[in-house]
Amino acid sequence: MDELIKILKTINPDIDYKTEEKLVEDKIYNSLNIVMLICALSEKFNIKITPEYMINDNFNSAQRIWKMIMEIKGENETKQ
């Protein structure tokens, strides 16, 4: 989770990611921010974020993003 927070801080350092729960809903993150985040997550965590995961709810908070990462990593391990 610390690595995720570091990535999020590179996109917008002014947000308290431990408490913010509406990054997309409150338009704190726009589509460009999400694309940047997806690229950074894919590279850092060696995951592929497929369209099924590209829903607003998965990007509303650090906790939701982390949950999505863990789900994807779990699926990848199951497929191997």
Side-chain angles (χ1 to χ4, degrees):
M1 179 74 120
D2 290 337
E3 290 298 319
L4 171 59
I5 298 295
K6 286 179 189 175
I7 291 169
L8 293 170
K9 291 269 184 201
T10 65
I11 295 171
N12 189 332
D14 299 327
I15 298 170
D16 180 0
Y17 290 102
K18 296 191 189 278
T19 61
E20 181 58 56
E21 295 184 349
K22 295 183 178 181
L23 290 169
V24 177
E25 272 181 51
D26 288 347
K27 298 183 183 355
I28 297 168
Y29 268 33
N30 60 31
S31 57
L32 180 58
N33 298 131
I34 298 296
V35 169
M36 290 170 48
L37 178 59
I38 288 170
C39 291
L41 295 176
S42 296
E43 185 175 313
K44 179 65 183 175
F45 296 104
N46 195 30
I47 59 174
K48 182 177 181 188
I49 300 174
T50 57
E52 69 189 85
Y53 286 101
M54 293 181 198
I55 58 173
N56 289 347
D57 192 47
N58 283 341
F59 295 94
N60 262 327
S61 70
Q63 293 79 15
R64 291 290 304 150
I65 296 166
W66 186 249
K67 181 180 177 191
M68 175 185 66
I69 292 167
M70 293 298 103
E71 284 179 23
I72 293 169
K73 286 182 83 63
E75 285 179 9
N76 289 344
E77 290 172 5
T78 304
K79 290 178 183 177
Q80 293 180 0

